[in-house]
Amino acid sequence: MSLAAVVRWSLLGQLLLGALIAYGLIPAHWPAWMALPLGVLPPVIGTVLVLAIELLVGAIADPRRPRTSFAHVLRVWLGESIVSLRAFGWRQPFAAGFAEPPRLHDPRRPAVLLIAGYVCNRAAWTGLLRSGLLSKYNVATVNLRPVFGSIDLYADEIHAAVEALRAETGAQRVILVGHSMGGLAARAYLRRHGSEAVVRVITLATPHHGTIFGALGHGANAREMRKDCKYLTTLAGAETAALRRRFVCIATLDDNLVVPRTSPLMPDAEHHLLDGVGHLALIEDPRAWRLIVQAIEATRPDDIEAARAA
């Protein structure tokens, strides 16, 4: 079953449950149909409440120094709530079938593959693609399946997408951009298929060293994102310093899901820290978009030769 279908059924179940709860609580003199719009409230309240708990746990487990203001935390929470509700209430379940930007057979144009994260599909990149910032590049997206499978299972999905992008565009090597678990999937691909087809890897809020929330997620992939777990240790052990120098790691100091907040930073890689934005909202932050473009533009022809030699 596709991620879009999983999210659709989950959303439908939440709405029906919310409507039943509302029907049982509304006054007897109210019309029964009022339970339908009121049924939207429980899933909305549940989402924003979970995000608030994540921020609270993150603040306790990995407190910022110096401490931020309540207004700062409130802005992060509201921004993350808006992005999450839009992503899982519309884009992920209903708008993932959009057409990708047209691609040209031109080896001189950078070829970019966008990889979404845990329980996300290609719709996570809607904002970036609509921004037009990647219009000068050949861009493709990939969905990771199975939804709750081991991260290693995504290596072949990414390999197929990389080879298809290279064949279509004539590019010798591609740039991988992964959000959250998507960055780990990119590393799993590199371990299984090698790095000859990849010149740069850009990761956003990827738990390279795991997260305390990994133990609470569903599926093998969630367990493989536990803090300092064996899977991540083994993955890192297969990488050289030369390979890690091809990585650009973008992290947020206010990550509500990847805790500790230093987890998205790999040794030997280029690091960028942003402020005032949550985990999922980072993928829609214009500052992160500009850093992605900056990293793509900084990938020169001699980098491709260096990648071949590494």
Side-chain angles (χ1 to χ4, degrees):
M1 183 181 294
S2 70
L3 185 279
V6 170
V7 178
R8 278 197 300 269
W9 282 109
S10 174
L11 182 62
L12 178 61
Q14 293 177 60
L15 292 175
L16 287 176
L17 180 60
L20 288 173
I21 293 173
Y23 181 76
L25 295 177
I26 60 175
H29 62 277
W30 284 23
W33 61 264
M34 284 294 294
L36 294 177
L38 291 174
V40 176
L41 292 178
V44 170
I45 294 172
T47 296
V48 299
L49 182 60
V50 167
L51 294 174
I53 293 172
E54 289 176 354
L55 283 168
L56 177 61
V57 172
I60 295 172
D62 186 18
R64 288 191 56 173
R65 295 287 186 266
R67 293 179 61 180
T68 56
S69 67
F70 176 76
H72 176 95
V73 177
L74 183 61
R75 286 193 297 271
V76 173
W77 175 62
L78 290 175
E80 185 74 0
S81 296
I82 291 169
V83 172
S84 295
L85 290 170
R86 179 171 60 226
F88 293 104
W90 174 251
R91 285 182 177 173
Q92 304 286 339
F94 303 112
F98 61 88
E100 293 177 339
R103 291 182 287 271
L104 304 176
H105 191 277
D106 183 355
R108 296 169 300 177
R109 287 169 64 97
V112 181
L113 180 65
L114 304 177
I115 310 168
Y118 180 70
V119 197
C120 286
N121 57 29
R122 59 196 295 269
W125 301 104
T126 301
L128 175 57
L129 291 172
R130 288 179 177 173
S131 73
L133 291 172
L134 303 185
S135 60
K136 296 188 298 182
Y137 316 129
N138 284 319
V139 182
T141 59
V142 61
N143 288 325
L144 301 180
R145 294 178 292 250
V147 177
F148 299 112
S150 168
I151 295 172
D152 279 339
L153 296 177
Y154 305 140
D156 291 340
E157 292 266 2
I158 295 174
H159 177 65
V162 166
E163 294 307 306
L165 182 59
R166 293 174 67 199
E168 183 179 2
T169 65
Q172 287 186 328
R173 285 165 176 77
V174 306
I175 297 169
L176 303 180
V177 182
H179 175 256
S180 193
M181 187 191 70
L184 296 179
R187 293 172 63 191
Y189 156 78
L190 292 171
R191 181 172 63 166
R192 177 171 297 180
H193 295 281
S195 60
E196 291 185 359
V198 175
V199 64
R200 180 81 68 211
V201 184
I202 306 166
T203 64
L204 294 83
T206 292
H208 292 299
H209 307 284
T211 170
I212 62 174
F213 291 109
L216 302 178
H218 176 72
N221 44 9
R223 293 190 294 272
E224 290 166 348
M225 290 188 283
R226 291 173 298 174
K227 185 175 181 294
D228 297 325
C229 68
K230 182 179 179 181
Y231 177 80
L232 295 177
T233 302
T234 303
L235 193 61
E239 297 165 345
T240 64
L243 177 61
R244 291 193 297 268
R245 282 193 288 271
R246 294 191 219 172
F247 279 71
V248 176
C249 300
I250 303 171
T252 168
L253 295 169
D254 295 294
D255 203 311
N256 52 290
L257 200 54
V258 176
V259 180
R261 277 67 174 265
T262 55
S263 182
L265 306 178
M266 296 176 67
D268 303 305
E270 179 182 329
H271 297 164
H272 297 277
L273 294 172
L274 298 180
D275 195 12
V277 61
H279 180 80
L280 186 59
L282 184 65
I283 204 173
E284 296 199 9
D285 193 298
R287 296 171 298 172
W289 295 349
R290 289 191 291 270
L291 287 171
I292 292 171
V293 172
Q294 176 182 306
I296 295 172
E297 292 294 326
T299 306
R300 302 175 300 275
D302 55 328
D303 291 320
I304 295 177
E305 295 304 317
R308 181 185 292 114

